[in-house]
Amino acid sequence: MKTIKLFAFLMAMAIAMPAAAQVKVLGKSGNTSTTTAKKTTTTTAKKSAAPKASSSSYGSDYSNEGWQGGVGIVYQIADNFNAFGLHARIMYGISEEMRLSLMDEFYFKDGLSYLDNLDFDFHYLFNVADNIHVYPFGGATIQLTKSKDVTIDEPIFDNNYNYIGDQSVTYSGESMSAFGLNLGCGVQYAINDQIAISAEAKYRFYFKENYKGQFVLGAGLIYHF
């Protein structure tokens, strides 16, 4: 009897052990699937939360607002009076579209001590392409000129009007000024978020007799402070 009971117990164990093992394996598989799903969900969420890389270039970050300065070259064309020069400017951007500019142009011309133009202009900027602005402008201009001092030898006569020699006499150059207006258009290309290059063309006319109009070409660098 004891033998039969022992045999029955062993048979029951033999049947129960594979079933328990199968349940355990299934439980592990289910946990694995759940864990995998959780990992996938977390990874997807992280990818979705990750910020997209900016596709904008440095130039598109250039701002026309605030203080800007620049230097460059200019070429003035007038009747029998062409001259190269340099310019320096300071600008303040009221907004991305509106800007005030003060430019000083100094020209190099034989026979003149100096030829200087001060232009105070208003720019309105149009963003026509990535990093590129076109801006019509207009404003007031003042031209200051001074011819060079001239030294010449003049004859000297005695009281009887007899020639006795020469003496050097220096005549001071004549200073002149004129007020006028200028109108023009420029294009600006932003190289990075602080530096841009520009090119401009403008026409000046003056409210003074015998002052001819002038056509001016210019190019230079602009730096955003």
Side-chain angles (χ1 to χ4, degrees), residues 116-150:
D116 196 75
N117 265 93
L118 290 173
D119 292 345
F120 184 74
D121 297 318
F122 173 79
H123 298 179
Y124 194 90
L125 298 102
F126 296 93
N127 186 202
V128 296
D130 189 26
N131 310 341
I132 301 175
H133 286 82
V134 171
Y135 53 97
F137 63 89
T141 184
I142 299 175
Q143 186 176 89
L144 306 172
T145 60
K146 183 179 184 301
S147 58
K148 289 184 176 179
D149 296 343
V150 177

Side-chain angles (χ1 to χ4, degrees), residues 6 8 38 57 102 121 130 191 199 206:
L6 179 59
K38 287 181 179 179
S57 62
L102 178 62
D121 297 318
D130 189 26
I191 299 173
Y206 298 94

Side-chain angles (χ1 to χ4, degrees), residues 2-217:
K2 290 181 178 180
T3 304
I4 294 173
K5 289 182 178 180
L6 179 59
F7 179 75
F9 176 75
L10 291 174
M11 287 295 294
M13 290 294 293
I15 294 171
M17 286 178 65
Q22 186 175 5
V23 171
K24 189 175 182 181
V25 170
L26 289 173
K28 287 183 177 180
S29 300
N31 292 338
T32 303
S33 300
T34 304
T35 304
T36 304
K38 287 181 179 179
K39 288 183 178 179
T40 304
T41 304
T42 304
T43 304
T44 305
K46 286 182 178 179
K47 287 183 178 179
S48 300
K52 293 183 179 180
S54 175
S55 61
S56 61
S57 62
Y58 280 110
S60 61
D61 294 331
Y62 184 91
S63 174
N64 292 311
E65 294 185 7
W67 291 101
Q68 301 157 64
V71 293
I73 59 174
V74 283
Y75 183 65
Q76 183 182 115
I77 304 171
D79 291 343
N80 301 318
F81 193 84
N82 301 338
F84 278 102
L86 300 175
H87 82 249
R89 74 194 326 176
I90 187 73
M91 298 185 291
Y92 181 75
I94 303 170
S95 66
E96 287 294 338
E97 293 81 23
M98 294 182 288
R99 184 168 67 190
L100 299 176
S101 170
L102 178 62
M103 176 184 283
D104 184 14
E105 299 174 4
F106 187 85
Y107 292 90
F108 305 96
K109 183 67 177 178
D110 291 339
L112 294 177
S113 291
Y114 61 80
L115 169 57
D116 196 75
N117 265 93
L118 290 173
D119 292 345
F120 184 74
D121 297 318
F122 173 79
H123 298 179
Y124 194 90
L125 298 102
F126 296 93
N127 186 202
V128 296
D130 189 26
N131 310 341
I132 301 175
H133 286 82
V134 171
Y135 53 97
F137 63 89
T141 184
I142 299 175
Q143 186 176 89
L144 306 172
T145 60
K146 183 179 184 301
S147 58
K148 289 184 176 179
D149 296 343
V150 177
T151 301
I152 61 175
D153 292 332
E154 292 188 347
I156 302 174
F157 301 91
D158 60 17
N159 293 332
N160 295 320
Y161 298 102
N162 295 316
Y163 173 76
I164 58 175
D166 294 321
Q167 65 176 357
S168 295
V169 179
T170 300
Y171 294 93
S172 297
E174 183 181 4
S175 297
M176 294 181 291
S177 62
F179 175 80
L181 299 175
N182 59 178
L183 297 172
C185 188
V187 60
Q188 170 185 298
Y189 174 75
I191 299 173
N192 56 40
D193 58 356
Q194 282 189 300
I195 298 175
I197 56 176
S198 66
E200 295 179 356
K202 59 188 173 185
Y203 183 79
R204 293 194 187 104
F205 56 93
Y206 298 94
F207 303 112
K208 188 170 184 176
E209 190 177 357
N210 299 326
Y211 260 71
K212 302 292 186 180
Q214 301 157 356
F215 185 67
V216 181
L217 300 173

